[in-house]
Amino acid sequence: MRRVFDFHGGIHPAENKHQSLRNPIQSAGTPPQLVLPLSQHIGAPSRPLVQVGEQVLKGQMIAEAGGHVSVPLHAPSSGTVVAIEDRPIPHPSGLSAPCIVIDCDGRDDWIAHQGVADFRDCEATELLELIRAAGIAGMGGAGFPAAVKLAGKPGATIRTLIINGTECEPYITADDILMQERASEILQGIAILSHILRPEEVLLGVEDNKPEAIVALNKAATGTNVAVVTFPTKYPSGGEKQLIEILTGKQVPSGGLPADIGIVCQNVGTAVAVADAILRGQPLISRITTVTGEAVAEPRNFEVLLGTPMQHLLDLAGFRPEQCERLVMGGPMMGFTLAGPQVPVVKTSNCLLVPSTTELPAPPPAQPCIRCGLCAEACPASLLPQQLYWFARGKETDKLEQHNLFDCIECGACSWVCPSYIPLVQYYRASKADILQQRRDHEKSEQARLRFEARQARIAREEEEREAKRAARKQAAEKKAALAAAEGGEDPIQAAIERARAKKAAQQAGGEADPPAVSPLESLRQKLAKSEQRLAQGREAGEDAKIITALEASVKRLQGKIAEAEAAAADTVETEARE
């Protein structure tokens, strides 16, 4: 039997999982309308590829990835795009965000799709591109793009692939029921992930409070290299770093990633989504979501299309609104209150908790900290929650970072044990947001500084180039004047100066008569004479052929104009003679 380890801290809240495990997975069907937020994952939001009024098919890509850390979005059912606008989304802020809204036509018509014949014949890069194109983000709650996580760092060697089937949060049973009913699909996805990563070992971690799932997984894993590892139930053993320590005894360095120690973790739901994408050519358009709590008549797990309004699930589960004051997405430890039942199911919606007022009452007012130290004992990341709390209240961001605030997984264990009912996690979450905003502001400021410096350098460079051209022209003019003086000719610069002086003197005198007017024909003849003289000089001096050609063309053009002018004058004289 494989040895398992323990991690610091942890708690044992009431599980409340049996309520939603009494029935198998039920399809939630197709609602009349789907609301699909463009940001259902960590990273850049996806960019719309469709327009209002456009007809779409089930599985059709309707938004492309907005960057490297991003994934596309697909239509969960066929219908018509009726809006691309801000709608309420499931987020702790309660704010709205851009969404694509589809009115379903009820036909559920699929786009043409098919899986690969044999994934073993594909290179890892090909499979990663298919996973990315399928819009797969982590299904365990974080929503990190799966292809980016699997690609890892260049040159990094992955020795251990861990599949997370822990699901330690109270009330949530989406992964549990998935492991019970679709263990073979999980193993299919694990085989594909193993082909991509080529790990030395594959570990599937499950808490011992899921006996039916453990039996199903062991049966499906028979004859494979996947080791199903069970361990004692403790919250939050489903945290990535905590699960790694349980299964391997290794600790991920502060600020580091599992890949830094040769490990990659994926959720069982993600494994199924990978199998659907590679073997069946189906993008991520649905997920298993638990609907539970005392305020619903029939708690259970639904396979629900992404974008389905929460109200649709509540109706299927027998919602009793008079018993419920708030809706929670997620569990009681890490979940957050929703703005209302109109928000949609997204890729990270593993649970809709519908508690009664007695089941999950509002916390009492916070009291002063008594420095009992229970929060530090419960913290699974070995942090000092009390110190972080004081630094957060004091907006001391430097000290928060020094005390590894970003190692906090926001599990809520510290808040759960706090006798003063201080909402510690809320302080940490707000401080993280402030620090990230400061980093973004600093980055924008730095980019603005670099742009300004680049502009100043460009202006200086252009001025230097202009000055060099002016100097070159001056040098050429001085050289030409020196040559003219050496040959006994007139200095062109001095001649130009003298002409300017003469003109100015004439203007000042003011009494000189205007020079006689010159007819257009005579003016053309004068120009022709000058051009012919210039052409002759150029030929004698042996100037460049291009210059001679241009001068010859000018002479011919003037000759043509003179001929036209003389003909016109002759016609005029003849006409006058007739009259």
Side-chain angles (χ1 to χ4, degrees):
M1 186 175 184
R2 184 182 180 91
R3 180 188 175 190
V4 295
F5 302 84
D6 196 6
F7 61 89
H8 177 272
I11 56 176
H12 294 86
E15 296 178 8
N16 287 310
K17 292 178 178 283
H18 65 279
Q19 296 96 319
S20 56
L21 288 173
R22 291 177 293 202
N23 299 297
I25 298 172
Q26 176 183 328
S27 172
T30 304
Q33 188 177 82
L34 297 168
V35 179
L36 298 152
L38 294 175
S39 182
Q40 301 188 29
H41 51 270
I42 290 176
S46 50
R47 294 189 293 258
L49 295 174
V50 294
Q51 298 179 346
V52 174
E54 185 173 338
Q55 299 287 324
V56 296
L57 295 174
K58 184 174 185 175
Q60 177 182 334
M61 186 183 295
I62 57 175
E64 63 183 352
H68 175 63
V69 183
S70 183
V71 293
L73 185 64
H74 303 78
S77 187
S78 57
T80 305
V81 178
V82 295
I84 302 176
E85 62 188 15
D86 284 1
R87 292 283 185 96
I89 62 170
H91 191 272
S93 67
L95 299 177
S96 298
C99 300
I100 296 176
V101 184
I102 298 174
D103 275 354
C104 301
D105 56 20
R107 294 194 297 269
D108 221 28
D109 293 332
W110 267 97
I111 193 171
H113 64 286
Q114 64 178 6
V116 299
D118 189 345
F119 69 86
R120 297 173 187 84
D121 295 333
C122 299
E123 295 292 331
T125 52
E126 297 177 57
L127 296 175
L128 288 174
E129 183 55 37
L130 291 173
I131 291 171
R132 175 181 172 84
I136 300 175
M139 307 284 281
F144 194 85
V148 178
K149 191 173 185 179
L150 291 169
K153 298 180 180 179
T157 301
I158 301 302
R159 293 183 294 276
T160 304
L161 169 62
I162 293 178
I163 305 300
N164 190 343
T166 306
E167 198 171 50
C168 58
E169 176 94 5
Y171 285 94
I172 307 176
T173 59
D175 287 347
D176 191 349
I177 200 73
L178 184 70
M179 290 185 287
Q180 291 183 37
E181 297 188 17
R182 302 180 185 177
S184 60
E185 295 179 29
I186 294 173
L187 268 293
Q188 289 175 347
I190 293 174
I192 297 169
L193 297 175
S194 298
H195 181 72
I196 294 171
L197 298 172
R198 307 287 182 175
E200 297 174 5
E201 61 178 354
V202 181
L203 308 177
L204 202 169
V206 189
E207 282 187 326
D208 60 8
N209 63 347
K210 303 174 180 61
E212 294 86 355
I214 293 170
V215 170
L217 291 171
N218 278 318
K219 181 179 179 181
T222 301
T224 70
N225 66 334
V226 178
V228 180
V229 184
T230 61
F231 47 87
T233 301
K234 183 171 73 167
Y235 180 85
S237 58
E240 186 175 62
K241 294 182 178 181
Q242 287 68 44
L243 181 59
I244 288 172
E245 188 170 358
I246 290 171
L247 297 181
T248 68
K250 299 177 182 178
Q251 292 186 346
V252 178
S254 176
L257 297 172
D260 297 335
I261 57 174
I263 297 174
V264 165
C265 289
Q266 292 289 352
N267 179 264
V268 290
T270 308
V272 172
V274 167
D276 287 339
I278 303 300
L279 303 180
R280 291 169 276 281
Q282 298 177 2
L284 178 57
I285 57 174
S286 67
R287 66 156 298 133
I288 308 300
T289 299
T290 304
V291 181
T292 186
E294 292 182 355
V296 292
E298 297 183 16
R300 66 188 311 154
N301 287 280
F302 293 95
E303 181 163 14
V304 52
L305 296 178
L306 302 180
T308 298
M310 297 289 188
Q311 184 64 59
H312 184 76
L313 295 182
L314 293 174
D315 294 341
L316 293 175
F319 180 44
R320 296 187 284 248
E322 69 281 358
Q323 298 182 13
C324 181
E325 290 186 354
R326 54 178 171 152
L327 301 174
V328 177
M329 178 170 148
M333 303 299 297
M334 299 183 69
F336 55 87
T337 300
L338 296 173
Q342 74 275 18
V343 300
V345 171
V346 294
K347 295 177 182 180
T348 56
S349 301
N350 57 359
C351 179
L352 175 60
L353 179 57
V354 195
S356 65
T357 53
T358 56
E359 184 180 20
L360 197 64
Q367 302 296 319
C369 174
I370 61 174
R371 302 180 183 272
C372 63
L374 291 177
C375 54
E377 293 177 11
C379 179
S382 299
L383 301 176
L384 298 174
Q386 177 185 303
Q387 288 299 112
L388 292 174
Y389 165 66
W390 291 116
F391 294 147
R393 290 195 59 177
K395 304 291 183 181
E396 299 179 80
T397 55
D398 291 343
K399 292 183 178 178
L400 283 168
E401 293 196 69
Q402 291 171 9
H403 283 71
N404 302 320
L405 171 66
F406 283 89
D407 283 351
C408 170
I409 62 174
E410 301 177 20
C411 66
C414 54
S415 300
W416 192 80
V417 300
C418 180
S420 297
Y421 303 105
I422 300 172
L424 296 167
V425 173
Q426 293 184 24
Y427 283 98
Y428 307 152
R429 190 175 289 156
S431 295
K432 286 181 182 180
D434 290 343
I435 292 172
L436 292 174
Q437 186 60 48
Q438 289 176 14
R439 290 178 181 175
R440 285 190 288 267
D441 292 343
H442 176 74
E443 184 177 351
K444 289 181 181 178
S445 175
E446 187 66 14
Q447 290 175 349
R449 182 185 67 80
L450 293 174
R451 288 196 301 271
F452 174 77
E453 291 178 353
R455 179 178 180 274
Q456 294 298 102
R458 176 176 54 79
I459 291 173
R461 184 174 62 255
E462 291 174 350
E463 182 59 32
E464 289 176 359
E465 291 173 355
R466 285 194 294 269
E467 187 62 33
K469 290 179 181 178
R470 284 195 293 267
R473 288 195 299 270
K474 181 180 179 182
Q475 184 179 5
E478 291 175 348
K479 184 177 180 181
K480 185 175 181 180
L483 285 172
E487 294 174 358
E490 183 182 28
D491 185 344
I493 297 176
Q494 189 61 37
I497 293 173
E498 293 300 329
R499 286 195 299 272
R501 286 176 178 172
K503 184 177 180 180
K504 185 176 181 181
Q507 290 175 346
Q508 289 175 347
E512 295 183 5
D514 293 336
V518 180
S519 68
L521 181 58
E522 186 61 29
S523 176
L524 287 172
R525 287 170 177 164
Q526 291 176 1
K527 289 182 180 179
L528 176 61
K530 289 181 180 179
S531 296
E532 289 175 338
Q533 182 181 3
R534 176 71 182 85
L535 176 60
Q537 292 174 349
R539 284 171 175 169
E540 290 177 5
E543 290 188 10
D544 186 88
K546 292 182 179 179
I547 296 176
I548 298 299
T549 302
L551 290 171
E552 290 174 344
S554 178
V555 168
K556 289 181 180 179
R557 185 171 61 256
L558 288 170
Q559 288 173 343
K561 288 184 177 180
I562 290 171
E564 292 175 0
E566 288 175 343
D571 290 343
T572 302
V573 171
E574 184 178 348
T575 302
E576 290 175 352
R578 289 174 181 173
E579 292 175 352

